[in-house]
Amino acid sequence: MMEAVRIMKVENRVALVTGSGQGIGKAIAFALANEGASIAVNDIPFNKDKAGETVAELRALGVKAELFLADVSKEDQVDAMVASVIEQFGKVDILVNNAGINKDGLVHKANLDNWNAVVAVNLTGPMLCTKAVLPSMRANGYGRIVNMSSLTARVGVFGTGYYASTKAGLIGLTKVTAVENVSKGITVNALAPGYINTDMMLKYPKEQLDALIATIPMKRFADPKEIADAALFLASDASAYITGAVLDINGGSFI
Ligand code: NAD
């Protein structure tokens, strides 16, 4: 008989979610935990208090969760983190490359330090984390990698030159990693969300936020939980035949 419903279960899976001390990463950690995954919470030492709170809140729900402080842009820290996750959890089934930073700037006035900082976290970081988890995922014959791209990779948004370039690069990394690992039971996909209610957006003046909201067909920013549900889908067995895909989540069509 045909199976009608594929439930987005991630029972007994181990998920490493980068930048999960707050915002979308934290929401993704909870979405995965609610469906049965154990969670390796990653964030930078600067954000260790919030990351510790994420771990404590997950544990209060009975979830196995551990904290791994590491800067995703540093190869030695990433390698040590992934080795430690595998040592403590026995494996890593799901990697969510969520950690990211944003610095605005016009291309004709580009500041190389700002460019390098954004590239390091948003593009080098996911590459290093992906490289670090792949040997174990390939050996286990199973893996789910979800990369957090952005609307800015898909349409030109004024002032986002550094950020948009990294998020577009991440789509390239997603597609190539998908093709290279498709024979090993590993799927690699990207989310390209529009605007979401987190610290990253809420630092902008209200008039600027209102102007952005006016461009969204649903006339509101997304809640982090709404992005987390999409990440859960791509991290689950329900997405077994979906790889190299980019899911645009913009409250309506932009492209
Ligand atoms: P946020 O600033 O609230 O959270 C980002 C998290 O990443 C923080 O916990 C931060 O400490 C962590 N982080 C930063 N640098 C790190 C590093 N080097 N190593 C490890 N962790 C690091 O932002 P958010 O809105 O939750 O963003 C999460 C992801 O979603 C980012 O990749 C962002 O680019 C993307 N995104 C956000 C929006 C939005 O509107 N908020 C839209 C599209 C995509």
Side-chain angles (χ1 to χ4, degrees), residues 143-154:
R144 293 283 180 272
I145 299 177
V146 181
N147 292 326
M148 193 60 70
S149 181
S150 160
L151 164 76
T152 60
R154 314 285 265 171

Side-chain angles (χ1 to χ4, degrees), residues 2-194:
M2 195 163 181
E3 195 184 349
V5 181
R6 297 296 302 274
I7 300 171
M8 294 194 288
K9 285 287 180 201
V10 283
E11 260 163 4
N12 303 319
R13 300 291 184 200
V14 174
L16 168 59
V17 185
T18 67
S20 49
Q22 64 181 57
I24 300 164
K26 182 171 182 175
I28 292 172
F30 276 83
L32 293 169
N34 283 338
E35 297 303 331
S38 300
I39 310 293
V41 173
N42 156 262
D43 215 301
I44 39 172
F46 177 79
N47 212 18
K48 70 172 184 327
D49 292 347
K50 284 191 177 169
E53 281 169 28
T54 301
V55 171
E57 289 169 28
L58 287 167
R59 285 181 181 165
L61 297 174
V63 175
K64 180 170 164 53
E66 299 290 343
L67 177 57
F68 300 88
L69 294 175
D71 179 338
V72 296
S73 70
K74 303 279 191 288
E75 187 172 20
D76 54 342
Q77 294 185 30
V78 168
D79 289 350
M81 167 175 74
V82 170
S84 202
V85 171
I86 292 171
E87 191 186 310
Q88 294 187 46
F89 289 87
K91 59 179 182 168
V92 53
D93 300 301
I94 299 165
L95 167 67
V96 183
N97 279 312
N98 165 80
I101 61 169
N102 179 28
K103 290 181 190 288
D104 292 330
L106 302 174
V107 174
H108 69 276
K109 294 180 179 172
N111 174 306
L112 195 56
D113 288 342
N114 286 348
W115 166 273
N116 286 335
V118 176
V119 168
V121 179
N122 293 8
L123 190 53
T124 306
M127 184 277 291
L128 291 174
C129 291
T130 300
K131 179 182 174 227
V133 299
L134 275 175
S136 138
M137 285 183 175
R138 288 173 64 90
N140 293 341
Y142 184 90
R144 293 283 180 272
I145 299 177
V146 181
N147 292 326
M148 193 60 70
S149 181
S150 160
L151 164 76
T152 60
R154 314 285 265 171
V155 295
V157 178
F158 196 91
T160 65
Y162 320 142
Y163 182 82
S165 300
T166 64
K167 295 301 187 180
L170 193 50
I171 291 177
L173 180 69
T174 301
K175 289 182 178 288
V176 174
T177 312
V179 167
E180 290 179 355
N181 294 280
V182 73
S183 64
K184 300 288 183 186
I186 299 166
T187 68
V188 189
N189 293 290
L191 299 176

